[in-house]
Amino acid sequence: MRKIVTMGEILIDLTQTGVTEQGIPRFAANPGGAPANAAVAAARLGAKAGFIGCVGKDAFGAFLRKTLENAGVDTTGLRETEAAPTTLAVVSVDGRGERSFQFYRKPGADVCLDRAMVDTALLEEAGVFHFGSVSLTAQPSRGATLWAAGYAREQGALITYDPNYRAGLWPDEKTAVAVMQAPLPLVDVLKISDEETRLLSPYAQPEAAAAWLEDWGIPLVLVTLGEKGVLYRFRGKTGRVPGFPVRVADTNGAGDTFFGAVLSRLAEENLETLEEGALVEMLRMANCAAAITTSRPGAIPAMPTRQEVMERLEKEGMA
């Protein structure tokens, strides 16, 4: 099994858990950040995973390091800075479990990661290198992330990318689109949500968007469809894999769990020889893992183990 190395933001999700009798919102300090989430999801499903990022020299930073270590994620690439505190994101959840974000990050420690802080030895160990777009929103983390993706590709790693759009972190949509599209020529596997199709492509319709993105030279394009599952574009073919019914408690971390599950399987596969049937099986497992995550509050705390996923698949007659 190849090692998965993810890079980008790691932060505290102050997630709404309810309200008091006086109607005052309650929040829990959950570990989060999409690339960190993906690393934990992959590790919980049995993969070897490492993380590159930056936290503040504070209690939240120590908590996040411990969280990764407890999940079995290699933290040799996690740096600390005194230049800024650990980044916070307030996550409010509505009655349907849908999220809204407010970041406390001007600056936050996650964007303080510069190229000199990147652990090149960890990049050289990576069979799969994964990153997102939140670390591209500001310097020096933007330059560090793009350099690391290029370096990992030169070392032979499979490059995966999740352009996770957060409007409040960009000066305007035009800038966001230009920066988020810039890494596409490096990418082997791309994951976007159905809410991002019109942003990353000229098309809102998932099939058309996926085909357009494939033309950038991306072998595998995945468009997550929420409770409806996922659409894939692979070697000129388009297909859909349905999701799993679940009572939603919190959608935070669902997409990261999905992609972490995909990464855990890609670490065992060769994308060049992967057959469509094996891809469908991989995506079914990833949909199952994401569904389990949405049934529980929080992001990292809600992520399932490999045993939980296998038991759910067996229950559905799909294992």
Side-chain angles (χ1 to χ4, degrees):
M1 176 183 289
R2 296 178 293 174
K3 187 168 188 174
I4 300 162
V5 175
T6 75
M7 178 174 176
E9 75 278 10
I10 183 169
L11 47 79
I12 294 294
D13 281 333
L14 291 177
T15 308
Q16 187 176 348
T17 59
V19 296
T20 67
E21 293 179 357
Q22 293 78 28
I24 300 171
R26 287 195 180 100
F27 290 85
N30 286 307
N37 289 346
V40 171
R44 287 213 176 145
L45 293 168
K48 295 188 295 182
F51 177 75
I52 297 173
C54 188
V55 294
K57 286 190 175 181
D58 49 39
F60 278 148
F63 167 63
L64 290 171
R65 180 182 294 276
K66 190 66 174 177
T67 297
L68 293 180
E69 290 172 349
N70 288 345
V73 176
D74 181 350
T75 60
T76 57
L78 182 61
R79 304 293 185 238
E80 295 178 346
T81 181
E82 294 181 339
T86 298
T87 304
L88 303 181
V90 176
V91 187
S92 298
V93 183
D94 66 19
R96 297 177 300 168
E98 295 299 328
R99 309 158 296 157
S100 62
F101 292 83
Q102 179 64 51
F103 289 86
Y104 290 77
R105 187 193 189 225
K106 293 186 178 181
D110 70 297
V111 297
C112 294
L113 185 74
D114 62 33
R115 178 172 166 177
M117 298 165 73
V118 176
D119 189 328
T120 54
L122 198 55
L123 292 177
E124 290 164 3
E125 292 177 18
V128 179
F129 177 80
H130 171 70
F131 68 104
S133 65
V134 170
S135 60
L136 304 181
T137 58
Q139 295 289 9
S141 62
R142 179 190 300 171
T145 302
L146 293 175
W147 175 83
Y151 185 82
R153 184 179 177 86
E154 290 175 358
Q155 307 307 306
L158 184 79
I159 307 301
T160 69
Y161 177 40
D162 179 6
N164 209 3
Y165 180 60
R166 297 287 180 260
L169 297 179
W170 297 94
D172 54 69
E173 187 176 295
K174 183 178 180 181
T175 301
V177 170
V179 175
M180 291 166 69
Q181 286 183 343
L184 293 180
L186 297 171
V187 176
D188 298 301
V189 182
L190 175 72
K191 194 255 326 167
I192 63 172
S193 74
D194 53 355
E195 298 173 347
E196 295 162 339
T197 51
R198 189 65 182 83
L199 187 72
L200 270 295
S201 83
Y203 307 101
Q205 206 264 352
E207 283 83 357
W212 186 86
L213 288 163
E214 182 187 40
D215 288 341
W216 283 75
I218 302 171
L220 175 59
V221 178
L222 304 173
V223 182
T224 55
L225 309 170
E227 63 184 12
K228 295 180 180 179
V230 62
L231 175 143
Y232 64 87
R233 180 78 177 182
F234 186 53
R235 298 187 186 134
K237 295 182 179 180
T238 302
R240 292 184 181 233
V241 180
F244 287 72
V246 67
R247 183 174 180 177
V248 175
D250 179 2
T251 59
N252 195 23
D256 303 327
T257 300
F258 169 85
F259 211 9
V262 170
L263 296 178
S264 74
R265 293 291 296 271
L266 286 174
E268 301 176 320
E269 300 280 356
N270 184 333
L271 191 62
E272 294 181 358
T273 59
L274 181 67
E275 296 183 357
E276 189 174 5
L279 173 62
V280 170
E281 180 186 346
M282 179 191 306
L283 297 178
R284 187 179 295 119
M285 182 274 288
N287 283 344
C288 181
I292 293 172
T293 295
T294 65
S295 70
R296 305 187 285 226
I300 285 177
M303 292 176 178
T305 63
R306 186 181 186 91
Q307 182 177 349
E308 286 180 289
V309 174
M310 293 307 299
E311 287 175 355
R312 177 65 190 270
L313 289 171
E314 289 175 4
K315 183 178 179 181
E316 299 289 338
M318 298 180 178

